[in-house]
Amino acid sequence: MIDLIRWNPLQEMVSLRERMNRLFDDSLFHSDRRGNELEMSAWLPAADVFEKEDRLVIKAELPGMDKNDISLDFRDGVLTLSGVRESENEVKEENFYRREMSHGKFTRSFSLPADCDADKIKAEFVNGLLTIEVPKPERCQPKQIKVN
């Protein structure tokens, strides 16, 4: 006897979307892991950018990196974070069951107010978390205005 199963078109669309995502993720970004340019540019560190009363804060996750592998540059209102995360070459390629940890060069850029004072930007790297604090220019800081 044949069981009747109710067809759910929404579930079919979700399933198709998941299969397409896996197809593009696997073929474009997790290729053969031999260091091709596409793979090396696929990894970008995650970053949070938020505002406090007197400063902007950028936090970037850089697990497994050393502070000497990180570069920060500020030019024309753009703060650029770049570096290289090296791969572990202790295990031979054929012994991997799955290799998902990305490595290679990366660059992230953040637009800041052009009149930021580069000398006052602070950066601290602790346990794989880079915290950058950018003081707001005087004109950007909130100011209470008294109503007469």
Side-chain angles (χ1 to χ4, degrees), residues 78-92:
V78 177
L79 181 70
T80 302
L81 166 64
S82 59
V84 178
R85 184 162 76 175
E86 299 296 330
S87 67
E88 296 178 15
N89 293 324
E90 296 176 15
V91 181
K92 292 182 181 177

Side-chain angles (χ1 to χ4, degrees), residues 124-142:
E124 182 180 29
F125 187 68
V126 178
N127 296 331
L129 183 66
L130 176 65
T131 303
I132 305 164
E133 293 188 352
V134 182
K136 289 183 188 176
E138 194 66 34
R139 68 167 184 79
C140 293
Q141 292 188 17

